[in-house]
Amino acid sequence: MSSHATDQARVIPLRPVAAAAAPAPDAAASPPSGAGEPREPLWRHLVGDVLRRERLAQERTLKDVAEAARISMPYLSELERGRKEASSEVLAAAARALGLGLADLLALSHGELTRLGRTHTRRAPIGQERPGLGRGGSGSYEARLLAA
C-alpha cells in the first residue's frame, strides 16, 4: 500500500527564490544597470590585473612567467583573470618571476584599489557617521575601508 505522494522528496529552499536569481558574489565589480551603488572591486581581480599588466609590459608569455614562477600555466591564467585566490607564496613566486617583490605587487594592487575606490566610497547612514570617517570627514580611504 503505497502512494506516489510519499515517494516525493520534500525540497526546502536554502535561500529565497529571488536571491537565487541574483548574480554571484564574484561577478564583475559593477552592478547590473538600474541597480544601486557599484560594488568595490575584489582583491583577486586587482592582483590579477597587476600581474597581467606587468607580464604584458615585459612582453612575456604566460608560459615563460609560469615556468619562472614554478606554477602551472593554467593556474597563472586563472590568477590573472581574478578567478583564483592565490596564497602569499604563489603571489610571491609570480611577482619574483616578473622581477618584483611581493611588497611591490601588493603596493601596485593597493594603488589600483585606491584609484578605483575613489568612485566607490561608502557613506555611513545619516546619524551614524564615525568621527573622521563620515560625511566630509578627513579620514583616509584605508580607514573608511576598514570601518565599512
mmCIF file of all heavy atoms in Angstrom, residues 4 19 22 32 44 50 52 60-61 70 73 87 89 91-92 102 104 128 130-131 133 135 144:
data_model
loop_
_atom_site.group_PDB
_atom_site.id
_atom_site.type_symbol
_atom_site.label_atom_id
_atom_site.label_comp_id
_atom_site.label_asym_id
_atom_site.label_seq_id
_atom_site.Cartn_x
_atom_site.Cartn_y
_atom_site.Cartn_z
ATOM 1 N N HIS A 4 1.957 7.723 -4.458
ATOM 2 C CA HIS A 4 3.004 8.490 -5.123
ATOM 3 C C HIS A 4 3.434 9.698 -4.292
ATOM 4 O O HIS A 4 4.546 10.160 -4.395
ATOM 5 C CB HIS A 4 2.535 8.950 -6.507
ATOM 6 C CG HIS A 4 2.384 7.805 -7.447
ATOM 7 N ND1 HIS A 4 3.463 7.198 -8.035
ATOM 8 C CD2 HIS A 4 1.282 7.148 -7.886
ATOM 9 C CE1 HIS A 4 3.042 6.227 -8.808
ATOM 10 N NE2 HIS A 4 1.714 6.165 -8.741
ATOM 11 N N ALA A 19 16.582 35.657 -4.437
ATOM 12 C CA ALA A 19 18.017 35.750 -4.208
ATOM 13 C C ALA A 19 18.774 34.769 -5.090
ATOM 14 O O ALA A 19 19.909 35.014 -5.461
ATOM 15 C CB ALA A 19 18.346 35.501 -2.743
ATOM 16 N N ALA A 22 19.894 36.323 -8.236
ATOM 17 C CA ALA A 22 20.864 37.413 -8.130
ATOM 18 C C ALA A 22 22.220 36.949 -8.640
ATOM 19 O O ALA A 22 22.534 35.764 -8.604
ATOM 20 C CB ALA A 22 20.978 37.866 -6.679
ATOM 21 N N PRO A 32 24.490 45.410 -12.211
ATOM 22 C CA PRO A 32 23.697 45.488 -13.419
ATOM 23 C C PRO A 32 23.051 46.863 -13.518
ATOM 24 O O PRO A 32 22.857 47.547 -12.531
ATOM 25 C CB PRO A 32 22.641 44.387 -13.240
ATOM 26 C CG PRO A 32 22.816 43.835 -11.882
ATOM 27 C CD PRO A 32 24.041 44.416 -11.280
ATOM 28 N N ARG A 44 41.332 39.901 -5.577
ATOM 29 C CA ARG A 44 41.910 38.973 -6.559
ATOM 30 C C ARG A 44 41.858 39.537 -7.967
ATOM 31 O O ARG A 44 42.735 39.255 -8.781
ATOM 32 C CB ARG A 44 41.250 37.607 -6.473
ATOM 33 C CG ARG A 44 39.814 37.554 -6.909
ATOM 34 C CD ARG A 44 39.303 36.103 -6.864
ATOM 35 N NE ARG A 44 37.970 36.019 -7.364
ATOM 36 C CZ ARG A 44 36.895 35.881 -6.620
ATOM 37 N NH1 ARG A 44 37.013 35.791 -5.313
ATOM 38 N NH2 ARG A 44 35.708 35.819 -7.158
ATOM 39 N N VAL A 50 47.167 43.481 -12.122
ATOM 40 C CA VAL A 50 48.556 43.932 -11.985
ATOM 41 C C VAL A 50 49.507 42.890 -12.561
ATOM 42 O O VAL A 50 50.429 43.222 -13.309
ATOM 43 C CB VAL A 50 48.892 44.247 -10.510
ATOM 44 C CG1 VAL A 50 50.393 44.460 -10.322
ATOM 45 C CG2 VAL A 50 48.119 45.469 -10.047
ATOM 46 N N ARG A 52 48.938 40.629 -14.888
ATOM 47 C CA ARG A 52 48.831 40.616 -16.352
ATOM 48 C C ARG A 52 49.471 41.856 -16.956
ATOM 49 O O ARG A 52 50.215 41.777 -17.936
ATOM 50 C CB ARG A 52 47.369 40.508 -16.789
ATOM 51 C CG ARG A 52 47.229 40.622 -18.318
ATOM 52 C CD ARG A 52 45.881 40.239 -18.798
ATOM 53 N NE ARG A 52 45.839 38.781 -18.799
ATOM 54 C CZ ARG A 52 44.738 38.059 -18.857
ATOM 55 N NH1 ARG A 52 43.571 38.642 -18.903
ATOM 56 N NH2 ARG A 52 44.792 36.757 -18.865
ATOM 57 N N ARG A 60 56.218 39.243 -22.134
ATOM 58 C CA ARG A 60 56.485 37.848 -21.801
ATOM 59 C C ARG A 60 55.212 37.035 -21.936
ATOM 60 O O ARG A 60 54.113 37.551 -21.795
ATOM 61 C CB ARG A 60 57.047 37.750 -20.390
ATOM 62 C CG ARG A 60 58.421 38.423 -20.295
ATOM 63 C CD ARG A 60 58.959 38.461 -18.920
ATOM 64 N NE ARG A 60 59.242 37.121 -18.402
ATOM 65 C CZ ARG A 60 59.576 36.903 -17.139
ATOM 66 N NH1 ARG A 60 59.683 37.901 -16.284
ATOM 67 N NH2 ARG A 60 59.818 35.673 -16.721
ATOM 68 N N THR A 61 55.375 35.754 -22.189
ATOM 69 C CA THR A 61 54.234 34.862 -22.349
ATOM 70 C C THR A 61 53.823 34.274 -21.000
ATOM 71 O O THR A 61 54.611 34.262 -20.048
ATOM 72 C CB THR A 61 54.567 33.700 -23.304
ATOM 73 O OG1 THR A 61 55.607 32.918 -22.717
ATOM 74 C CG2 THR A 61 55.001 34.219 -24.671
ATOM 75 N N ARG A 70 57.360 28.657 -11.325
ATOM 76 C CA ARG A 70 57.145 27.253 -10.983
ATOM 77 C C ARG A 70 55.697 26.976 -10.575
ATOM 78 O O ARG A 70 55.421 26.283 -9.599
ATOM 79 C CB ARG A 70 58.117 26.796 -9.905
ATOM 80 C CG ARG A 70 59.571 26.958 -10.351
ATOM 81 C CD ARG A 70 60.498 26.408 -9.369
ATOM 82 N NE ARG A 70 60.323 24.935 -9.403
ATOM 83 C CZ ARG A 70 61.261 24.073 -9.136
ATOM 84 N NH1 ARG A 70 62.448 24.490 -8.800
ATOM 85 N NH2 ARG A 70 61.028 22.793 -9.167
ATOM 86 N N MET A 73 50.756 26.927 -16.042
ATOM 87 C CA MET A 73 50.291 27.993 -16.923
ATOM 88 C C MET A 73 48.780 28.234 -16.767
ATOM 89 O O MET A 73 48.353 29.396 -16.667
ATOM 90 C CB MET A 73 50.650 27.658 -18.378
ATOM 91 C CG MET A 73 50.477 28.828 -19.312
ATOM 92 S SD MET A 73 51.135 28.512 -20.952
ATOM 93 C CE MET A 73 50.077 27.214 -21.521
ATOM 94 N N SER A 87 47.659 31.953 -2.676
ATOM 95 C CA SER A 87 48.341 32.081 -1.388
ATOM 96 C C SER A 87 49.444 33.122 -1.518
ATOM 97 O O SER A 87 49.865 33.483 -2.626
ATOM 98 C CB SER A 87 48.943 30.737 -0.978
ATOM 99 O OG SER A 87 50.012 30.402 -1.859
ATOM 100 N N GLU A 89 52.500 32.658 -0.912
ATOM 101 C CA GLU A 89 53.658 32.009 -1.523
ATOM 102 C C GLU A 89 53.558 32.033 -3.043
ATOM 103 O O GLU A 89 54.541 32.306 -3.735
ATOM 104 C CB GLU A 89 53.796 30.553 -1.045
ATOM 105 C CG GLU A 89 54.183 30.410 0.406
ATOM 106 C CD GLU A 89 52.978 30.413 1.352
ATOM 107 O OE1 GLU A 89 51.828 30.563 0.894
ATOM 108 O OE2 GLU A 89 53.204 30.270 2.562
ATOM 109 N N LEU A 91 51.712 34.139 -4.850
ATOM 110 C CA LEU A 91 51.820 35.532 -5.291
ATOM 111 C C LEU A 91 53.270 35.988 -5.287
ATOM 112 O O LEU A 91 53.717 36.685 -6.213
ATOM 113 C CB LEU A 91 50.968 36.443 -4.412
ATOM 114 C CG LEU A 91 49.456 36.306 -4.572
ATOM 115 C CD1 LEU A 91 48.744 37.234 -3.587
ATOM 116 C CD2 LEU A 91 49.025 36.593 -5.993
ATOM 117 N N ALA A 92 54.024 35.605 -4.254
ATOM 118 C CA ALA A 92 55.437 35.981 -4.183
ATOM 119 C C ALA A 92 56.215 35.357 -5.335
ATOM 120 O O ALA A 92 57.072 36.014 -5.946
ATOM 121 C CB ALA A 92 56.030 35.559 -2.843
ATOM 122 N N LEU A 102 57.064 40.740 -3.428
ATOM 123 C CA LEU A 102 55.670 40.631 -3.012
ATOM 124 C C LEU A 102 55.143 42.001 -2.588
ATOM 125 O O LEU A 102 54.014 42.376 -2.920
ATOM 126 C CB LEU A 102 55.520 39.620 -1.874
ATOM 127 C CG LEU A 102 54.106 39.410 -1.337
ATOM 128 C CD1 LEU A 102 53.150 38.945 -2.448
ATOM 129 C CD2 LEU A 102 54.110 38.417 -0.192
ATOM 130 N N ASP A 104 56.041 44.862 -3.763
ATOM 131 C CA ASP A 104 55.783 45.645 -4.973
ATOM 132 C C ASP A 104 54.430 45.291 -5.574
ATOM 133 O O ASP A 104 53.654 46.169 -5.958
ATOM 134 C CB ASP A 104 56.872 45.400 -6.026
ATOM 135 C CG ASP A 104 58.249 45.799 -5.554
ATOM 136 O OD1 ASP A 104 58.365 46.826 -4.851
ATOM 137 O OD2 ASP A 104 59.217 45.080 -5.892
ATOM 138 N N GLN A 128 24.831 58.125 11.760
ATOM 139 C CA GLN A 128 25.721 57.048 12.191
ATOM 140 C C GLN A 128 27.150 57.282 11.716
ATOM 141 O O GLN A 128 27.939 56.361 11.649
ATOM 142 C CB GLN A 128 25.229 55.704 11.663
ATOM 143 C CG GLN A 128 23.897 55.298 12.236
ATOM 144 C CD GLN A 128 23.457 53.951 11.704
ATOM 145 O OE1 GLN A 128 24.209 53.245 11.059
ATOM 146 N NE2 GLN A 128 22.223 53.587 11.977
ATOM 147 N N ARG A 130 31.002 58.088 11.707
ATOM 148 C CA ARG A 130 32.059 57.908 12.692
ATOM 149 C C ARG A 130 32.976 59.113 12.607
ATOM 150 O O ARG A 130 33.189 59.645 11.524
ATOM 151 C CB ARG A 130 32.841 56.636 12.387
ATOM 152 C CG ARG A 130 31.968 55.414 12.534
ATOM 153 C CD ARG A 130 32.750 54.171 12.251
ATOM 154 N NE ARG A 130 31.843 53.050 12.288
ATOM 155 C CZ ARG A 130 32.108 51.886 11.765
ATOM 156 N NH1 ARG A 130 33.246 51.677 11.179
ATOM 157 N NH2 ARG A 130 31.240 50.909 11.840
ATOM 158 N N PRO A 131 33.546 59.540 13.705
ATOM 159 C CA PRO A 131 34.421 60.708 13.669
ATOM 160 C C PRO A 131 35.546 60.525 12.657
ATOM 161 O O PRO A 131 36.247 59.516 12.676
ATOM 162 C CB PRO A 131 34.985 60.791 15.096
ATOM 163 C CG PRO A 131 34.036 60.001 15.933
ATOM 164 C CD PRO A 131 33.438 58.962 15.033
ATOM 165 N N LEU A 133 35.377 59.795 9.637
ATOM 166 C CA LEU A 133 35.092 58.871 8.551
ATOM 167 C C LEU A 133 33.786 59.167 7.850
ATOM 168 O O LEU A 133 33.536 58.628 6.790
ATOM 169 C CB LEU A 133 35.029 57.427 9.077
ATOM 170 C CG LEU A 133 36.281 56.902 9.730
ATOM 171 C CD1 LEU A 133 36.027 55.510 10.281
ATOM 172 C CD2 LEU A 133 37.422 56.876 8.765
ATOM 173 N N ARG A 135 30.567 61.909 6.650
ATOM 174 C CA ARG A 135 30.393 62.900 5.605
ATOM 175 C C ARG A 135 31.340 64.055 5.838
ATOM 176 O O ARG A 135 31.341 64.673 6.875
ATOM 177 C CB ARG A 135 28.950 63.378 5.607
ATOM 178 C CG ARG A 135 28.001 62.203 5.460
ATOM 179 C CD ARG A 135 26.602 62.647 5.485
ATOM 180 N NE ARG A 135 26.361 63.319 4.209
ATOM 181 C CZ ARG A 135 25.260 63.975 3.949
ATOM 182 N NH1 ARG A 135 24.331 64.089 4.843
ATOM 183 N NH2 ARG A 135 25.102 64.541 2.781
ATOM 184 N N ARG A 144 38.372 54.206 5.954
ATOM 185 C CA ARG A 144 36.964 54.003 5.593
ATOM 186 C C ARG A 144 36.728 52.567 5.198
ATOM 187 O O ARG A 144 35.692 51.990 5.513
ATOM 188 C CB ARG A 144 36.570 54.952 4.453
ATOM 189 C CG ARG A 144 36.376 56.376 4.901
ATOM 190 C CD ARG A 144 35.704 57.191 3.837
ATOM 191 N NE ARG A 144 36.478 57.223 2.611
ATOM 192 C CZ ARG A 144 37.321 58.204 2.265
ATOM 193 N NH1 ARG A 144 37.511 59.216 3.058
ATOM 194 N NH2 ARG A 144 37.967 58.143 1.133
#
